Amino acid sequence: MQGLSLKISQQQRLSPQQIQFVKLLQIPTAELAARIEEELEENPALEEGLEINDSDELDEQERETVDDWEREELEVGDYLQDDYAGYKMAGDSYDPNEESPERPMATVSSAEEYLLMQIGFVVKDEREELIAQQLIGSLEEDGYLRRNIESIVNDLAFTQGFITDAQEVEVVLKKIQTLDPAGIGARDLQECLSIQLHRRESDNPTCLLAIRLIDEFFEEFSKMHFAQLQQKLGVDEADLKKAVQLIKRLNPKPGGSEGGNWVPYLQPDFVVTNQSGKLDIKLNGKNAPELRVSKSFQEMLQTYNQGNKQQKEVKEAVTFIKHKLDAASWFIQAIQQRQGTLLKTMQSIVSQQYDFFLTGDDASLKPMKMKDVAALIDMDVSTVSRVVSAKSVQTDFGIYPLKYFFSEGISHESGEDVSTREVKNILREIIEQEPSQEPYPDEILENLLAERGFVVKRRTVAKYREQLGIPVARLRRKL
């Protein structure tokens, strides 16, 4: 049987203004300038700079965007005000007259752009160039190609209607592997190291031995079976050690820059300084130019309002101007709210980790979770997560990502809660001091930590060791 039914349900949806704020909150300060520049280009009602005469400012009045002229009369007077002369917070630290201690930043193209610049020197025709572009676009951040060749062939067929085969793609891949940085386009670690070694002096005995280690005995080498390698290669310990040292100097992750060793410029979002025992917290406002709503657009709206509102052209013009003025004021409000939320969150983090910001000692870091900060500032955990994401703070002891200050806690035998970061630092210290030829397995590391008052299970020791990027004992063995 067919019938009609009525169902009532409640749904919570974010408004366009809330979505805009959430997106602005998540991006770091270094990207904020580009986002503001994009908005300035798209919205002529938004301008950069301070208002010359602040005495004209009026109190803000609530406005709603009107899509239908017949449904609501446009209130032009609401748009003839400007209380958005600038959105910078009192906590912003940028002074245009202040000398900056930062070093100039070199302009460096991305790894993908750098590779695309080089392919013209190795491909022979447009066909190979198209395959090369697809391969370069498929590289991961570390420079490896982890998609198999058959998938690349299918990608070209389905997305571009380009028919090729695995053999042709393989030929082009070999050409990409001749580009800089050495090792780019490798499909695994063995191939990456082999590419780098084959570019070195082929008549150097140490290099030749290193090539054999990687090309012929990679499994034994990766498991550090040095005794077996000496026997199979027929070399003494000194020569083997030289070859191993040469391999260790290679770059296992060639992606990221043309030199392989370029470190991205990091601009902190916050600055925390010790002012005679009192911590001063500021927002970095260098990438946030002053914004205001355009007075010329407000005057334009007033001019149109004096015309005949019944004319279709006048209605459309007023609606367009009103929409742009709304968008400009909403954007400025979102920037203001972003700055306030960032500063409020950072103040809470500093209050929790006050001793660390005074001394820079990792041992003074306390266990802290995002929900702890969210409770302090009376906001949702997701908001704190967005603030922390990709943000950093400059201290008297260096620049730290905000996520550095969040960690779980474990109990010390004294009954005090200790940050897992301190336990990791002690674990690293123990491993650095272990005998090179007989490194400690996880069971012994567990006992050594217990001697220092940290009761940690073996599996937890293994997890911390992996998080520190430290291999198992067998792979830490040295000649």
Side-chain angles (χ1 to χ4, degrees):
M1 295 180 62
Q2 292 182 343
L4 296 175
S5 63
L6 183 64
K7 182 180 180 181
I8 300 176
S9 63
Q10 289 185 333
Q11 292 183 341
Q12 185 176 9
R13 295 183 178 180
L14 294 176
S15 66
Q17 296 77 32
Q18 290 172 319
I19 294 174
Q20 185 178 59
F21 166 67
V22 167
K23 290 182 177 179
L24 286 172
L25 188 64
Q26 192 157 355
I27 62 174
T29 302
E31 298 177 16
L32 183 60
R35 176 66 186 88
I36 292 176
E37 187 65 30
E38 179 184 341
E39 191 72 20
L40 287 168
E41 291 178 0
E42 293 179 356
N43 190 352
L46 184 67
E47 292 182 350
E48 186 175 353
L50 283 169
E51 189 66 37
I52 298 176
N53 186 4
D54 294 335
S55 62
D56 297 338
E57 294 184 355
L58 301 174
D59 293 334
E60 184 185 29
Q61 299 179 17
E62 186 176 351
R63 300 186 286 267
E64 297 180 355
T65 302
V66 180
D67 297 323
D68 187 353
W69 176 278
E70 301 296 332
R71 187 178 71 234
E72 179 180 341
E73 183 70 16
L74 288 173
E75 294 295 330
V76 179
D78 288 345
Y79 294 85
L80 304 181
Q81 57 182 332
D82 183 8
D83 58 342
Y84 302 107
Y87 65 86
K88 287 209 169 207
M89 306 284 296
D92 285 354
S93 61
Y94 178 52
D95 181 356
N97 300 318
E98 182 181 354
E99 294 186 5
S100 173
E102 298 172 355
R103 298 177 181 176
M105 178 179 66
T107 302
V108 181
S109 60
S110 68
E112 183 174 349
E113 291 172 345
Y114 184 70
L115 291 170
L116 291 172
M117 288 168 54
Q118 299 179 67
I119 61 174
F121 298 103
V122 295
V123 298
K124 64 180 182 181
D125 52 33
E126 292 183 3
R127 184 178 180 85
E128 285 194 350
E129 183 176 1
L130 183 59
I131 296 174
Q133 290 173 350
Q134 183 70 29
L135 286 167
I136 291 173
S138 301
L139 296 180
E140 298 190 10
E141 290 185 0
D142 55 7
Y144 285 84
L145 179 70
R146 293 190 172 90
R147 287 180 63 80
N148 57 49
I149 297 299
E150 288 73 17
S151 298
I152 302 296
V153 172
N154 292 334
D155 290 344
L156 286 165
F158 292 132
T159 61
Q160 303 188 43
F162 183 88
I163 306 303
T164 182
D165 55 35
Q167 184 178 0
E168 186 178 17
V169 174
E170 184 82 32
V171 170
V172 178
L173 177 60
K174 293 297 182 184
K175 293 184 177 182
I176 289 177
Q177 290 175 349
T178 65
L179 304 179
D180 290 328
I184 202 76
R187 284 161 285 190
D188 52 41
L189 179 60
Q190 181 180 10
E191 188 175 27
C192 177
L193 299 177
S194 179
I195 292 170
Q196 296 179 58
L197 287 170
H198 280 282
R199 289 203 190 183
R200 293 174 175 261
E201 303 175 34
S202 58
D203 57 347
N204 183 294
T206 301
C207 184
L208 291 173
L209 180 57
I211 290 173
R212 289 195 65 194
L213 280 171
I214 297 301
D215 291 352
E216 301 176 31
F217 304 100
F218 184 73
E219 184 177 355
E220 292 88 341
F221 170 76
S222 62
K223 293 180 179 179
M224 301 294 183
H225 292 165
F226 297 119
Q228 294 182 23
L229 289 171
Q230 279 185 248
Q231 185 178 2
K232 290 182 178 181
L233 292 167
V235 296
D236 58 27
E237 183 178 325
D239 290 338
L240 181 61
K241 190 172 184 178
K242 289 180 182 178
V244 171
Q245 291 299 322
L246 173 60
I247 294 171
K248 287 184 176 181
R249 289 196 295 269
L250 301 177
N251 184 11
K253 295 181 179 180
S257 71
E258 59 271 34
N261 297 316
W262 175 71
V263 178
Y265 176 79
L266 180 63
Q267 183 167 20
D269 302 84
F270 306 91
V271 179
V272 178
T273 54
N274 186 348
Q275 302 288 348
S276 302
K278 183 179 180 181
L279 294 178
D280 182 38
I281 307 169
K282 294 181 180 178
L283 280 170
N284 186 347
K286 287 189 176 181
N287 287 318
E290 303 285 354
L291 298 176
R292 65 169 182 257
V293 176
S294 171
K295 283 194 175 296
S296 61
F297 250 64
Q298 296 172 343
E299 294 169 356
M300 192 185 305
L301 181 61
Q302 187 177 33
T303 301
Y304 274 109
N305 186 54
Q306 295 172 354
N308 186 357
K309 294 184 181 180
Q310 300 305 316
Q311 294 182 4
K312 181 179 179 181
E313 293 79 6
V314 175
K315 293 179 182 179
E316 292 177 350
V318 173
T319 302
F320 171 80
I321 296 172
K322 183 177 185 295
H323 174 71
K324 292 300 181 181
L325 289 170
D326 272 335
S329 59
W330 285 335
F331 186 77
I332 294 173
Q333 288 177 30
I335 292 291
Q336 290 177 330
Q337 191 175 357
R338 174 188 186 272
Q339 302 289 67
T341 304
L342 288 178
L343 189 59
K344 191 176 182 181
T345 305
M346 191 65 222
Q347 288 171 339
S348 176
I349 293 174
V350 171
S351 68
Q352 293 289 92
Q353 306 291 2
Y354 203 87
D355 292 339
F356 172 83
F357 285 99
L358 282 177
T359 64
D361 185 5
D362 284 351
S364 62
L365 282 172
K366 300 176 181 178
M368 183 175 69
K369 300 178 182 179
M370 289 188 187
K371 67 178 182 181
D372 299 330
V373 174
L376 283 173
I377 63 177
D378 195 22
M379 291 185 178
D380 193 80
V381 176
S382 61
T383 302
V384 177
S385 177
R386 290 186 176 94
V387 172
V388 172
S389 176
K391 308 293 194 310
S392 60
V393 56
Q394 178 179 314
T395 72
D396 294 335
F397 319 101
I399 298 178
Y400 295 86
L402 292 193
K403 288 186 177 180
Y404 182 84
F405 304 104
F406 294 89
S407 64
E408 301 286 339
I410 66 170
S411 296
H412 191 269
E413 64 177 9
S414 63
E416 180 184 359
D417 283 341
V418 181
S419 170
T420 55
R421 191 174 304 281
E422 182 180 353
V423 180
K424 290 178 184 178
N425 289 336
I426 294 173
L427 179 61
R428 182 192 287 110
E429 178 186 331
I430 293 173
I431 293 175
E432 288 175 350
Q433 296 175 359
E434 69 184 0
S436 59
Q437 295 183 346
E438 292 294 334
Y440 299 138
D442 292 340
E443 292 81 0
I444 295 180
L445 292 174
E446 176 187 356
N447 296 332
L448 292 173
L449 285 172
E451 291 177 3
R452 301 198 182 194
F454 302 101
V455 181
V456 184
K457 299 294 184 182
R458 187 200 61 79
R459 62 177 179 273
T460 306
V461 172
K463 182 180 75 172
Y464 290 169
R465 176 179 50 73
E466 291 172 358
Q467 290 174 351
L468 291 169
I470 299 174
V472 296
R474 173 172 51 79
L475 299 181
R476 301 201 302 272
R477 189 179 299 116
K478 299 178 182 178
L479 288 172

